[in-house]
Amino acid sequence: QVRLVESGGGLVQPGGSLRLSCAASGISIRFSAMGWYRQSPGKQRELVASITIGGSTNYADSAKGRFTISRDSAKNTMYLQMNSLKPEDTALYYCNLQPSLRAYWGQGTQVTVSS
């Protein structure tokens, strides 16, 4: 059974940083294309960053230059380093395959950027 557990969210001031983690079980992230997604109230869930099996990364325009996706195969964990956070980054952040699978959505981790 595949399980993806997000953590690392919190309340941070504008300009601050957070590192999100996605601990995977039942699946090898090293051999899976993965992504970080986010959803704000009243908006559709969007793909923020992705990493291919080969390690290539892609970012939404809103995340370029500020967010970095990475993975630790030994820990079977994926990360999202978020710097220079803005209030518009406030959302519930999820990890999933890319493209996503409905059955793999977890509870997410809340990121709130506010002064």
Side-chain angles (χ1 to χ4, degrees):
Q1 182 179 359
V2 174
R3 189 169 182 227
L4 301 173
V5 179
E6 304 91 348
S7 63
L11 173 64
V12 63
Q13 292 187 341
S17 298
L18 283 174
R19 189 177 81 154
L20 307 184
S21 299
C22 171
S25 59
I27 190 173
S28 172
I29 64 166
R30 170 62 181 90
F31 298 109
S32 304
M34 303 286 296
W36 281 99
Y37 302 77
R38 68 185 181 188
Q39 187 168 21
S40 305
K43 294 186 178 181
Q44 287 192 333
R45 193 174 296 174
E46 62 174 344
L47 177 65
V48 175
S50 62
I51 184 166
T52 68
I53 294 174
S56 297
T57 57
N58 286 282
Y59 300 91
D61 287 343
S62 59
K64 285 179 182 176
R66 301 188 300 125
F67 293 5
T68 303
I69 188 172
S70 62
R71 65 189 176 204
D72 184 332
S73 299
K75 295 182 178 180
N76 210 30
T77 299
M78 181 175 67
Y79 302 98
L80 185 67
Q81 177 67 44
M82 304 188 295
N83 299 327
S84 303
L85 282 162
K86 306 175 181 180
E88 50 264 43
D89 295 318
T90 295
L92 194 56
Y93 284 72
Y94 303 87
C95 60
N96 203 316
L97 300 184
Q98 208 290 306
S100 63
L101 290 180
R102 180 178 294 182
Y104 291 2
W105 293 115
Q107 297 299 309
T109 186
Q110 178 67 40
V111 171
T112 302
V113 185
S114 175
S115 55

